[in-house]
Amino acid sequence: MSVATTAGPRPETDAGPRHAASDSGVGYPLTRASGLGLGLAMLWFSLLVLIPLTAVMVTASEAGWSGFWGTITNEQTAAAIRLTVGTALLVTLVNVVMGTAIAWVLVRDRFVGQRVLEILIDIPFALPTIVAGLVLLSLYGPKSPLGINVANTRPAVFLAFLFVTLPFVVRTVQPVLAELDREAEEAAASLGASRFTVFRRIVLPSITPAIAAGAALSFARGVSEYGSLVLLSGNLPHKTEVTSVRILSSIENDNLEGAAAVATILLVISLIVIVTVDILQRRLVRRG
Amino acid sequence: MSIEISHVSKRFGTFVALDDVSVSIPTGQLTALLGPSGGGKSTLLRIIAGLERADSGRVEIEGVDATNLPPQKRNVGFVFQHYAAFKHLTVRRNIAFGLEIRRRPKAEIRARVDELLALVHLEQFADRLPAQLSGGQRQRMALARALAVKPTVLLLDEPFGALDAKVRKELRDWLRRLHDEVHVTTVFVTHDQEEALEVADEIVVINEGRVEQVGSPDDLYDRPANDFVMRFLGPVTQLGDRLVRPHDLRITVGSAGPSDHAGVNGPASVTGRITRIVRVGFEVRVEVTTDDHVVTVTLPRSEFLELGLHTDAVVSVHQAAPARVAAGAA
């Protein structure tokens, strides 16, 4: 951990290189306060995250490698993992586009009902997921007033994921977009850049980290979703059963190791996706 | 005439930013739009750049009607007060931006950027990010970025406003030298009369959405069209019922006789008592209180010492240079 010091107004000197604290990489000795802060953060993180995660992995390993491998290659489990991860990725992709578009509208346009929309965005997040499931069932179930029945089909899973993950990209992108330097966009325009080029080369690099953060959250939430889809998806093995449902049924059948094995594989996949998103994001920003 | 603005008006809601403004800006010169904050000068600059649309009127750039052209098609370079740097791009890529948009060959871009880096003295900072530069360096980068595309006109909106006094002065001199080198038609907005007088070939004084006067710095200083211009362009004081520059006044010890030039324009000389003496560097500011008002006179220190002035001394004040505008006239 290095502590960045912010300098006051700098004199106009062309000579003398300046090092950003983050570039040096060498840590400063921690002060007492920051040492305490770091300790507290690590303790908190360990109690809430690291220890439970380790416990899951230990449980998963109890059945041995062959047990572990057997569980996750089980046809029904593998189908559930494919469906969950595939749908979560697809939903995340949709969110990246739609979430950015919604954030854009909320920040850049002024229209009647804006404040209302602003609040409505958070509803999928604020609603207990089972309530979300009920809402989806009554709207898109067998008795749909819209005449759309997706119950017991894969689109039901997609729809449920889409519903609960809607706010993530919107909420991460919105504040960043609001803080953007509009003059940089005007400068780009007067240098000859079309609206699309301005968006791609000036706006997008600035909001990419926020989009990536929202995408990671959205993916993670999708992978872990349970409440909103159990009612509508029907949990049909090989067809609409997702991993969280699969884990629950493993536990109900007293197969803790099996549940932990699936959990572990989900954990690894989520980690890979989040790291990939971060690498991708950095690359995009650097390319400009 | 390089930029021809005719009958341009612009409102923001009920606020009138520009009210039927017509002005011609000559080719190859450095023109200042000078006026108090909120007077409409930045709006006019943004209308020239196409960043703002005029409600009515016409803008012509180099003989081409630009009134309805988008900013992309106007070929103007614009420099903002707060730099408007592309934060995620290095200095080199910031400067290259306009050329990359125009899809110039890589070698040409590289050569042109190198040339501009040298022009703005940022060669050794080419690979830094804007956040790693000082304010003055960032503004020079912005200037190079605007010049890269060889604009027809260069527009600067309070370019030195965010910098501290010393850097501002340096950059001001540097801009003047740069302009003598590059010769692109340049318009810059400022509320600093000293900046305008020092740098500009021509000054357009704008106040409350109207053009008050257009002229060379000498014209405006010596022959202001009205009280506003007179007050805005330098120090003023009141002598009798006239506005005059305090450094154009002379002091003589003792009261003036009644025969002293009492013209039709009121007394050219007043008598009073010195109430305050302030020394500011090489100058001395003397306040003389007459029966009904206070006259401020500035004089060189040597002259002050020669006269042996002190507070409470009775002196007369008269004008040295020919009379200018009578108060309330114009």
Side-chain angles (χ1 to χ4, degrees), chain A residues 12-14 18 183-184 186-187 189-193 197 201 205 287, chain B residues 46 72 76 80 84 86 88 93 100-102 125 132 134 137 140 145:
Chain A
E12 173 82 355
T13 47
D14 280 6
R18 281 207 258 125
E183 289 186 345
E186 292 181 337
S190 83
L191 286 169
T197 309
R201 296 216 38 201
R287 212 180 53 188
Chain B
R46 291 174 60 86
Q72 289 88 346
V76 298
F80 296 83
F86 304 146
H88 59 293
R93 299 207 47 206
E100 285 176 6
I101 295 292
R102 284 164 175 73
F125 297 95
Q132 296 165 304
S134 71
Q137 290 166 342
R140 295 201 316 254
R145 184 177 67 183

PDB file of all heavy atoms in Angstrom, chain A residues 12-14 18 183-184 186-187 189-193 197 201 205 287, chain B residues 46 72 76 80 84 86 88 93 100-102 125 132 134 137 140 145:
ATOM      1  N   GLU A  12       5.559  26.515 -12.490  1.00  0.00           N
ATOM      2  CA  GLU A  12       5.717  26.159 -13.893  1.00  0.00           C
ATOM      3  C   GLU A  12       7.163  25.804 -14.169  1.00  0.00           C
ATOM      4  O   GLU A  12       7.979  26.661 -14.488  1.00  0.00           O
ATOM      5  CB  GLU A  12       5.281  27.358 -14.742  1.00  0.00           C
ATOM      6  CG  GLU A  12       5.529  27.220 -16.225  1.00  0.00           C
ATOM      7  CD  GLU A  12       4.443  26.414 -16.900  1.00  0.00           C
ATOM      8  OE1 GLU A  12       3.571  25.893 -16.201  1.00  0.00           O
ATOM      9  OE2 GLU A  12       4.495  26.320 -18.117  1.00  0.00           O
ATOM     10  N   THR A  13       7.504  24.552 -13.999  1.00  0.00           N
ATOM     11  CA  THR A  13       8.874  24.154 -14.289  1.00  0.00           C
ATOM     12  C   THR A  13       8.847  23.007 -15.274  1.00  0.00           C
ATOM     13  O   THR A  13       8.105  22.060 -15.108  1.00  0.00           O
ATOM     14  CB  THR A  13       9.614  23.698 -13.026  1.00  0.00           C
ATOM     15  OG1 THR A  13       8.746  22.804 -12.320  1.00  0.00           O
ATOM     16  CG2 THR A  13       9.990  24.849 -12.141  1.00  0.00           C
ATOM     17  N   ASP A  14       9.665  23.105 -16.277  1.00  0.00           N
ATOM     18  CA  ASP A  14       9.707  22.049 -17.269  1.00  0.00           C
ATOM     19  C   ASP A  14      10.666  20.954 -16.837  1.00  0.00           C
ATOM     20  O   ASP A  14      10.590  19.834 -17.291  1.00  0.00           O
ATOM     21  CB  ASP A  14      10.150  22.609 -18.616  1.00  0.00           C
ATOM     22  CG  ASP A  14       8.979  23.298 -19.307  1.00  0.00           C
ATOM     23  OD1 ASP A  14       7.903  23.409 -18.677  1.00  0.00           O
ATOM     24  OD2 ASP A  14       9.148  23.701 -20.447  1.00  0.00           O
ATOM     25  N   ARG A  18       8.489  14.037 -12.324  1.00  0.00           N
ATOM     26  CA  ARG A  18       7.622  13.849 -11.170  1.00  0.00           C
ATOM     27  C   ARG A  18       7.186  12.404 -11.119  1.00  0.00           C
ATOM     28  O   ARG A  18       6.832  11.821 -12.116  1.00  0.00           O
ATOM     29  CB  ARG A  18       6.397  14.748 -11.290  1.00  0.00           C
ATOM     30  CG  ARG A  18       6.713  16.157 -10.909  1.00  0.00           C
ATOM     31  CD  ARG A  18       5.463  16.824 -10.415  1.00  0.00           C
ATOM     32  NE  ARG A  18       4.936  17.681 -11.451  1.00  0.00           N
ATOM     33  CZ  ARG A  18       3.713  17.589 -11.903  1.00  0.00           C
ATOM     34  NH1 ARG A  18       2.899  16.685 -11.440  1.00  0.00           N
ATOM     35  NH2 ARG A  18       3.296  18.409 -12.822  1.00  0.00           N
ATOM     36  N   GLU A 183     -16.355  19.614 -21.881  1.00  0.00           N
ATOM     37  CA  GLU A 183     -15.504  20.405 -22.773  1.00  0.00           C
ATOM     38  C   GLU A 183     -14.557  19.519 -23.575  1.00  0.00           C
ATOM     39  O   GLU A 183     -14.214  19.858 -24.704  1.00  0.00           O
ATOM     40  CB  GLU A 183     -14.725  21.452 -21.975  1.00  0.00           C
ATOM     41  CG  GLU A 183     -15.635  22.567 -21.471  1.00  0.00           C
ATOM     42  CD  GLU A 183     -14.871  23.690 -20.797  1.00  0.00           C
ATOM     43  OE1 GLU A 183     -13.688  23.487 -20.457  1.00  0.00           O
ATOM     44  OE2 GLU A 183     -15.463  24.757 -20.619  1.00  0.00           O
ATOM     45  N   ALA A 184     -14.143  18.391 -22.988  1.00  0.00           N
ATOM     46  CA  ALA A 184     -13.277  17.481 -23.746  1.00  0.00           C
ATOM     47  C   ALA A 184     -14.025  16.966 -24.969  1.00  0.00           C
ATOM     48  O   ALA A 184     -13.445  16.825 -26.048  1.00  0.00           O
ATOM     49  CB  ALA A 184     -12.823  16.323 -22.855  1.00  0.00           C
ATOM     50  N   GLU A 186     -16.441  18.602 -26.495  1.00  0.00           N
ATOM     51  CA  GLU A 186     -16.532  19.728 -27.434  1.00  0.00           C
ATOM     52  C   GLU A 186     -15.217  19.930 -28.163  1.00  0.00           C
ATOM     53  O   GLU A 186     -15.184  20.219 -29.361  1.00  0.00           O
ATOM     54  CB  GLU A 186     -16.924  21.007 -26.680  1.00  0.00           C
ATOM     55  CG  GLU A 186     -18.329  20.956 -26.137  1.00  0.00           C
ATOM     56  CD  GLU A 186     -18.723  22.227 -25.404  1.00  0.00           C
ATOM     57  OE1 GLU A 186     -17.838  22.972 -24.932  1.00  0.00           O
ATOM     58  OE2 GLU A 186     -19.926  22.473 -25.293  1.00  0.00           O
ATOM     59  N   ALA A 187     -14.115  19.771 -27.410  1.00  0.00           N
ATOM     60  CA  ALA A 187     -12.791  19.904 -28.037  1.00  0.00           C
ATOM     61  C   ALA A 187     -12.637  18.873 -29.146  1.00  0.00           C
ATOM     62  O   ALA A 187     -12.186  19.193 -30.247  1.00  0.00           O
ATOM     63  CB  ALA A 187     -11.692  19.731 -26.985  1.00  0.00           C
ATOM     64  N   ALA A 189     -14.998  17.418 -30.822  1.00  0.00           N
ATOM     65  CA  ALA A 189     -15.892  17.766 -31.937  1.00  0.00           C
ATOM     66  C   ALA A 189     -15.269  18.845 -32.806  1.00  0.00           C
ATOM     67  O   ALA A 189     -15.292  18.764 -34.037  1.00  0.00           O
ATOM     68  CB  ALA A 189     -17.245  18.210 -31.404  1.00  0.00           C
ATOM     69  N   SER A 190     -14.677  19.856 -32.165  1.00  0.00           N
ATOM     70  CA  SER A 190     -14.122  20.943 -32.975  1.00  0.00           C
ATOM     71  C   SER A 190     -12.840  20.499 -33.688  1.00  0.00           C
ATOM     72  O   SER A 190     -12.403  21.127 -34.640  1.00  0.00           O
ATOM     73  CB  SER A 190     -13.884  22.202 -32.137  1.00  0.00           C
ATOM     74  OG  SER A 190     -12.667  22.130 -31.462  1.00  0.00           O
ATOM     75  N   LEU A 191     -12.262  19.370 -33.235  1.00  0.00           N
ATOM     76  CA  LEU A 191     -11.109  18.812 -33.958  1.00  0.00           C
ATOM     77  C   LEU A 191     -11.564  17.910 -35.104  1.00  0.00           C
ATOM     78  O   LEU A 191     -10.750  17.282 -35.776  1.00  0.00           O
ATOM     79  CB  LEU A 191     -10.220  18.011 -33.005  1.00  0.00           C
ATOM     80  CG  LEU A 191      -9.387  18.844 -32.045  1.00  0.00           C
ATOM     81  CD1 LEU A 191      -8.750  17.974 -30.978  1.00  0.00           C
ATOM     82  CD2 LEU A 191      -8.306  19.610 -32.788  1.00  0.00           C
ATOM     83  N   GLY A 192     -12.880  17.820 -35.282  1.00  0.00           N
ATOM     84  CA  GLY A 192     -13.395  17.099 -36.444  1.00  0.00           C
ATOM     85  C   GLY A 192     -14.009  15.753 -36.145  1.00  0.00           C
ATOM     86  O   GLY A 192     -14.403  15.043 -37.056  1.00  0.00           O
ATOM     87  N   ALA A 193     -14.093  15.377 -34.865  1.00  0.00           N
ATOM     88  CA  ALA A 193     -14.624  14.054 -34.539  1.00  0.00           C
ATOM     89  C   ALA A 193     -16.148  14.049 -34.611  1.00  0.00           C
ATOM     90  O   ALA A 193     -16.791  14.938 -34.057  1.00  0.00           O
ATOM     91  CB  ALA A 193     -14.161  13.634 -33.149  1.00  0.00           C
ATOM     92  N   THR A 197     -17.559   9.108 -33.035  1.00  0.00           N
ATOM     93  CA  THR A 197     -16.133   9.060 -32.704  1.00  0.00           C
ATOM     94  C   THR A 197     -15.882   9.668 -31.326  1.00  0.00           C
ATOM     95  O   THR A 197     -15.070   9.156 -30.561  1.00  0.00           O
ATOM     96  CB  THR A 197     -15.310   9.806 -33.767  1.00  0.00           C
ATOM     97  OG1 THR A 197     -15.679   9.315 -35.039  1.00  0.00           O
ATOM     98  CG2 THR A 197     -13.831   9.609 -33.554  1.00  0.00           C
ATOM     99  N   ARG A 201     -14.085   7.431 -28.691  1.00  0.00           N
ATOM    100  CA  ARG A 201     -12.691   7.723 -28.339  1.00  0.00           C
ATOM    101  C   ARG A 201     -12.523   8.580 -27.093  1.00  0.00           C
ATOM    102  O   ARG A 201     -11.461   8.600 -26.488  1.00  0.00           O
ATOM    103  CB  ARG A 201     -12.000   8.392 -29.533  1.00  0.00           C
ATOM    104  CG  ARG A 201     -11.939   7.440 -30.723  1.00  0.00           C
ATOM    105  CD  ARG A 201     -10.682   7.576 -31.513  1.00  0.00           C
ATOM    106  NE  ARG A 201      -9.516   7.800 -30.711  1.00  0.00           N
ATOM    107  CZ  ARG A 201      -8.405   8.323 -31.171  1.00  0.00           C
ATOM    108  NH1 ARG A 201      -8.328   8.684 -32.424  1.00  0.00           N
ATOM    109  NH2 ARG A 201      -7.371   8.500 -30.392  1.00  0.00           N
ATOM    110  N   PRO A 205     -13.709   5.502 -23.224  1.00  0.00           N
ATOM    111  CA  PRO A 205     -12.562   5.167 -22.375  1.00  0.00           C
ATOM    112  C   PRO A 205     -12.736   5.656 -20.940  1.00  0.00           C
ATOM    113  O   PRO A 205     -12.255   5.023 -20.008  1.00  0.00           O
ATOM    114  CB  PRO A 205     -11.391   5.890 -23.053  1.00  0.00           C
ATOM    115  CG  PRO A 205     -11.808   6.043 -24.461  1.00  0.00           C
ATOM    116  CD  PRO A 205     -13.297   6.228 -24.436  1.00  0.00           C
ATOM    117  N   ARG A 287      -5.919   1.737 -24.962  1.00  0.00           N
ATOM    118  CA  ARG A 287      -5.923   1.920 -26.404  1.00  0.00           C
ATOM    119  C   ARG A 287      -6.529   3.269 -26.788  1.00  0.00           C
ATOM    120  O   ARG A 287      -6.123   3.882 -27.752  1.00  0.00           O
ATOM    121  CB  ARG A 287      -6.703   0.790 -27.057  1.00  0.00           C
ATOM    122  CG  ARG A 287      -6.162   0.448 -28.413  1.00  0.00           C
ATOM    123  CD  ARG A 287      -6.961  -0.664 -29.017  1.00  0.00           C
ATOM    124  NE  ARG A 287      -8.376  -0.355 -29.008  1.00  0.00           N
ATOM    125  CZ  ARG A 287      -9.311  -1.229 -29.345  1.00  0.00           C
ATOM    126  NH1 ARG A 287      -8.978  -2.438 -29.660  1.00  0.00           N
ATOM    127  NH2 ARG A 287     -10.578  -0.882 -29.341  1.00  0.00           N
TER     128      ARG A 287
ATOM    129  N   ARG B  46     -18.085  30.810 -28.652  1.00  0.00           N
ATOM    130  CA  ARG B  46     -18.651  29.475 -28.860  1.00  0.00           C
ATOM    131  C   ARG B  46     -19.546  29.433 -30.099  1.00  0.00           C
ATOM    132  O   ARG B  46     -19.643  28.397 -30.751  1.00  0.00           O
ATOM    133  CB  ARG B  46     -19.415  29.026 -27.610  1.00  0.00           C
ATOM    134  CG  ARG B  46     -18.485  28.740 -26.415  1.00  0.00           C
ATOM    135  CD  ARG B  46     -19.267  28.441 -25.154  1.00  0.00           C
ATOM    136  NE  ARG B  46     -20.113  27.272 -25.326  1.00  0.00           N
ATOM    137  CZ  ARG B  46     -19.702  26.021 -25.128  1.00  0.00           C
ATOM    138  NH1 ARG B  46     -18.473  25.793 -24.733  1.00  0.00           N
ATOM    139  NH2 ARG B  46     -20.511  25.019 -25.298  1.00  0.00           N
ATOM    140  N   GLN B  72     -17.579  20.314 -36.333  1.00  0.00           N
ATOM    141  CA  GLN B  72     -16.628  19.437 -37.024  1.00  0.00           C
ATOM    142  C   GLN B  72     -16.202  20.001 -38.373  1.00  0.00           C
ATOM    143  O   GLN B  72     -15.111  19.722 -38.853  1.00  0.00           O
ATOM    144  CB  GLN B  72     -17.246  18.055 -37.274  1.00  0.00           C
ATOM    145  CG  GLN B  72     -17.425  17.195 -36.037  1.00  0.00           C
ATOM    146  CD  GLN B  72     -18.751  17.429 -35.346  1.00  0.00           C
ATOM    147  OE1 GLN B  72     -19.439  18.405 -35.629  1.00  0.00           O
ATOM    148  NE2 GLN B  72     -19.110  16.570 -34.415  1.00  0.00           N
ATOM    149  N   VAL B  76     -11.958  25.059 -37.007  1.00  0.00           N
ATOM    150  CA  VAL B  76     -11.451  26.015 -36.019  1.00  0.00           C
ATOM    151  C   VAL B  76     -10.737  25.241 -34.918  1.00  0.00           C
ATOM    152  O   VAL B  76     -11.071  24.089 -34.645  1.00  0.00           O
ATOM    153  CB  VAL B  76     -12.579  26.858 -35.381  1.00  0.00           C
ATOM    154  CG1 VAL B  76     -13.273  27.689 -36.428  1.00  0.00           C
ATOM    155  CG2 VAL B  76     -13.564  25.988 -34.631  1.00  0.00           C
ATOM    156  N   PHE B  80      -9.870  25.672 -24.351  1.00  0.00           N
ATOM    157  CA  PHE B  80     -10.769  25.959 -23.238  1.00  0.00           C
ATOM    158  C   PHE B  80     -10.004  26.439 -22.013  1.00  0.00           C
ATOM    159  O   PHE B  80      -8.828  26.119 -21.843  1.00  0.00           O
ATOM    160  CB  PHE B  80     -11.537  24.694 -22.861  1.00  0.00           C
ATOM    161  CG  PHE B  80     -12.455  24.200 -23.948  1.00  0.00           C
ATOM    162  CD1 PHE B  80     -11.967  23.415 -24.979  1.00  0.00           C
ATOM    163  CD2 PHE B  80     -13.794  24.518 -23.934  1.00  0.00           C
ATOM    164  CE1 PHE B  80     -12.801  22.945 -25.977  1.00  0.00           C
ATOM    165  CE2 PHE B  80     -14.640  24.062 -24.929  1.00  0.00           C
ATOM    166  CZ  PHE B  80     -14.144  23.282 -25.948  1.00  0.00           C
ATOM    167  N   ALA B  84      -9.581  21.025 -21.076  1.00  0.00           N
ATOM    168  CA  ALA B  84     -10.335  19.985 -21.791  1.00  0.00           C
ATOM    169  C   ALA B  84      -9.404  18.927 -22.361  1.00  0.00           C
ATOM    170  O   ALA B  84      -9.555  18.482 -23.489  1.00  0.00           O
ATOM    171  CB  ALA B  84     -11.194  20.605 -22.905  1.00  0.00           C
ATOM    172  N   PHE B  86      -7.726  15.308 -23.051  1.00  0.00           N
ATOM    173  CA  PHE B  86      -8.211  13.930 -23.117  1.00  0.00           C
ATOM    174  C   PHE B  86      -7.388  13.149 -22.104  1.00  0.00           C
ATOM    175  O   PHE B  86      -6.257  12.753 -22.369  1.00  0.00           O
ATOM    176  CB  PHE B  86      -8.047  13.358 -24.525  1.00  0.00           C
ATOM    177  CG  PHE B  86      -8.723  14.184 -25.591  1.00  0.00           C
ATOM    178  CD1 PHE B  86      -8.183  14.304 -26.860  1.00  0.00           C
ATOM    179  CD2 PHE B  86      -9.917  14.837 -25.321  1.00  0.00           C
ATOM    180  CE1 PHE B  86      -8.812  15.063 -27.834  1.00  0.00           C
ATOM    181  CE2 PHE B  86     -10.561  15.603 -26.297  1.00  0.00           C
ATOM    182  CZ  PHE B  86      -9.996  15.715 -27.556  1.00  0.00           C
ATOM    183  N   HIS B  88      -7.183  10.245 -20.817  1.00  0.00           N
ATOM    184  CA  HIS B  88      -6.669   8.882 -20.946  1.00  0.00           C
ATOM    185  C   HIS B  88      -5.611   8.764 -22.040  1.00  0.00           C
ATOM    186  O   HIS B  88      -5.083   7.690 -22.263  1.00  0.00           O
ATOM    187  CB  HIS B  88      -7.817   7.924 -21.230  1.00  0.00           C
ATOM    188  CG  HIS B  88      -8.567   8.272 -22.489  1.00  0.00           C
ATOM    189  ND1 HIS B  88      -9.317   9.418 -22.598  1.00  0.00           N
ATOM    190  CD2 HIS B  88      -8.649   7.647 -23.668  1.00  0.00           C
ATOM    191  CE1 HIS B  88      -9.839   9.473 -23.806  1.00  0.00           C
ATOM    192  NE2 HIS B  88      -9.456   8.423 -24.479  1.00  0.00           N
ATOM    193  N   ARG B  93      -0.583  11.756 -28.034  1.00  0.00           N
ATOM    194  CA  ARG B  93      -1.823  11.322 -28.668  1.00  0.00           C
ATOM    195  C   ARG B  93      -2.916  12.376 -28.563  1.00  0.00           C
ATOM    196  O   ARG B  93      -3.792  12.455 -29.417  1.00  0.00           O
ATOM    197  CB  ARG B  93      -2.264   9.996 -28.081  1.00  0.00           C
ATOM    198  CG  ARG B  93      -1.211   8.923 -28.332  1.00  0.00           C
ATOM    199  CD  ARG B  93      -1.765   7.541 -28.394  1.00  0.00           C
ATOM    200  NE  ARG B  93      -2.944   7.427 -29.228  1.00  0.00           N
ATOM    201  CZ  ARG B  93      -3.861   6.475 -29.044  1.00  0.00           C
ATOM    202  NH1 ARG B  93      -3.717   5.619 -28.067  1.00  0.00           N
ATOM    203  NH2 ARG B  93      -4.896   6.404 -29.840  1.00  0.00           N
ATOM    204  N   GLU B 100      -5.451  12.143 -36.422  1.00  0.00           N
ATOM    205  CA  GLU B 100      -5.912  10.752 -36.500  1.00  0.00           C
ATOM    206  C   GLU B 100      -7.343  10.707 -37.039  1.00  0.00           C
ATOM    207  O   GLU B 100      -7.691   9.836 -37.828  1.00  0.00           O
ATOM    208  CB  GLU B 100      -5.855  10.097 -35.118  1.00  0.00           C
ATOM    209  CG  GLU B 100      -4.443   9.748 -34.688  1.00  0.00           C
ATOM    210  CD  GLU B 100      -4.395   9.186 -33.273  1.00  0.00           C
ATOM    211  OE1 GLU B 100      -5.458   8.955 -32.675  1.00  0.00           O
ATOM    212  OE2 GLU B 100      -3.279   8.998 -32.762  1.00  0.00           O
ATOM    213  N   ILE B 101      -8.162  11.666 -36.576  1.00  0.00           N
ATOM    214  CA  ILE B 101      -9.549  11.744 -37.062  1.00  0.00           C
ATOM    215  C   ILE B 101      -9.555  11.933 -38.575  1.00  0.00           C
ATOM    216  O   ILE B 101     -10.376  11.371 -39.288  1.00  0.00           O
ATOM    217  CB  ILE B 101     -10.268  12.955 -36.408  1.00  0.00           C
ATOM    218  CG1 ILE B 101     -10.406  12.752 -34.912  1.00  0.00           C
ATOM    219  CG2 ILE B 101     -11.618  13.203 -37.055  1.00  0.00           C
ATOM    220  CD1 ILE B 101     -11.332  11.647 -34.514  1.00  0.00           C
ATOM    221  N   ARG B 102      -8.605  12.725 -39.058  1.00  0.00           N
ATOM    222  CA  ARG B 102      -8.532  13.009 -40.496  1.00  0.00           C
ATOM    223  C   ARG B 102      -7.824  11.903 -41.277  1.00  0.00           C
ATOM    224  O   ARG B 102      -7.573  12.055 -42.472  1.00  0.00           O
ATOM    225  CB  ARG B 102      -7.824  14.342 -40.718  1.00  0.00           C
ATOM    226  CG  ARG B 102      -8.703  15.539 -40.391  1.00  0.00           C
ATOM    227  CD  ARG B 102      -7.886  16.807 -40.247  1.00  0.00           C
ATOM    228  NE  ARG B 102      -8.729  17.980 -40.059  1.00  0.00           N
ATOM    229  CZ  ARG B 102      -9.395  18.262 -38.942  1.00  0.00           C
ATOM    230  NH1 ARG B 102      -9.325  17.427 -37.921  1.00  0.00           N
ATOM    231  NH2 ARG B 102     -10.134  19.358 -38.853  1.00  0.00           N
ATOM    232  N   PHE B 125       7.878  15.787 -22.590  1.00  0.00           N
ATOM    233  CA  PHE B 125       6.690  15.338 -21.868  1.00  0.00           C
ATOM    234  C   PHE B 125       5.747  14.550 -22.770  1.00  0.00           C
ATOM    235  O   PHE B 125       4.629  14.252 -22.394  1.00  0.00           O
ATOM    236  CB  PHE B 125       5.936  16.552 -21.302  1.00  0.00           C
ATOM    237  CG  PHE B 125       6.741  17.316 -20.304  1.00  0.00           C
ATOM    238  CD1 PHE B 125       7.480  18.426 -20.683  1.00  0.00           C
ATOM    239  CD2 PHE B 125       6.773  16.915 -18.976  1.00  0.00           C
ATOM    240  CE1 PHE B 125       8.241  19.115 -19.757  1.00  0.00           C
ATOM    241  CE2 PHE B 125       7.524  17.605 -18.055  1.00  0.00           C
ATOM    242  CZ  PHE B 125       8.270  18.709 -18.440  1.00  0.00           C
ATOM    243  N   GLN B 132      -0.197  14.375 -15.303  1.00  0.00           N
ATOM    244  CA  GLN B 132       1.177  14.516 -14.819  1.00  0.00           C
ATOM    245  C   GLN B 132       1.806  15.833 -15.238  1.00  0.00           C
ATOM    246  O   GLN B 132       3.003  16.029 -15.100  1.00  0.00           O
ATOM    247  CB  GLN B 132       2.022  13.342 -15.329  1.00  0.00           C
ATOM    248  CG  GLN B 132       1.560  12.004 -14.775  1.00  0.00           C
ATOM    249  CD  GLN B 132       2.147  10.837 -15.546  1.00  0.00           C
ATOM    250  OE1 GLN B 132       1.998  10.745 -16.755  1.00  0.00           O
ATOM    251  NE2 GLN B 132       2.818   9.954 -14.842  1.00  0.00           N
ATOM    252  N   SER B 134       1.684  20.270 -15.308  1.00  0.00           N
ATOM    253  CA  SER B 134       1.182  21.442 -14.586  1.00  0.00           C
ATOM    254  C   SER B 134       0.129  22.125 -15.450  1.00  0.00           C
ATOM    255  O   SER B 134      -0.015  21.810 -16.634  1.00  0.00           O
ATOM    256  CB  SER B 134       2.329  22.401 -14.300  1.00  0.00           C
ATOM    257  OG  SER B 134       2.745  23.012 -15.504  1.00  0.00           O
ATOM    258  N   GLN B 137       1.517  23.732 -18.596  1.00  0.00           N
ATOM    259  CA  GLN B 137       1.909  22.727 -19.595  1.00  0.00           C
ATOM    260  C   GLN B 137       0.684  22.138 -20.274  1.00  0.00           C
ATOM    261  O   GLN B 137       0.668  21.925 -21.486  1.00  0.00           O
ATOM    262  CB  GLN B 137       2.705  21.609 -18.920  1.00  0.00           C
ATOM    263  CG  GLN B 137       4.077  22.059 -18.471  1.00  0.00           C
ATOM    264  CD  GLN B 137       4.721  21.058 -17.521  1.00  0.00           C
ATOM    265  OE1 GLN B 137       4.047  20.206 -16.949  1.00  0.00           O
ATOM    266  NE2 GLN B 137       6.019  21.180 -17.323  1.00  0.00           N
ATOM    267  N   ARG B 140      -0.573  24.508 -22.839  1.00  0.00           N
ATOM    268  CA  ARG B 140       0.261  24.512 -24.042  1.00  0.00           C
ATOM    269  C   ARG B 140      -0.032  23.279 -24.891  1.00  0.00           C
ATOM    270  O   ARG B 140      -0.046  23.344 -26.117  1.00  0.00           O
ATOM    271  CB  ARG B 140       1.745  24.570 -23.656  1.00  0.00           C
ATOM    272  CG  ARG B 140       2.076  25.883 -22.971  1.00  0.00           C
ATOM    273  CD  ARG B 140       3.543  26.236 -23.005  1.00  0.00           C
ATOM    274  NE  ARG B 140       4.459  25.171 -22.708  1.00  0.00           N
ATOM    275  CZ  ARG B 140       5.150  25.039 -21.581  1.00  0.00           C
ATOM    276  NH1 ARG B 140       5.000  25.917 -20.619  1.00  0.00           N
ATOM    277  NH2 ARG B 140       5.991  24.054 -21.420  1.00  0.00           N
ATOM    278  N   ARG B 145      -2.658  20.934 -29.625  1.00  0.00           N
ATOM    279  CA  ARG B 145      -3.702  20.057 -30.138  1.00  0.00           C
ATOM    280  C   ARG B 145      -4.602  20.815 -31.120  1.00  0.00           C
ATOM    281  O   ARG B 145      -4.978  20.310 -32.170  1.00  0.00           O
ATOM    282  CB  ARG B 145      -4.528  19.523 -28.966  1.00  0.00           C
ATOM    283  CG  ARG B 145      -5.582  18.529 -29.352  1.00  0.00           C
ATOM    284  CD  ARG B 145      -6.301  18.014 -28.126  1.00  0.00           C
ATOM    285  NE  ARG B 145      -7.092  19.046 -27.487  1.00  0.00           N
ATOM    286  CZ  ARG B 145      -7.773  18.868 -26.351  1.00  0.00           C
ATOM    287  NH1 ARG B 145      -7.730  17.719 -25.734  1.00  0.00           N
ATOM    288  NH2 ARG B 145      -8.482  19.846 -25.836  1.00  0.00           N
TER     289      ARG B 145
END
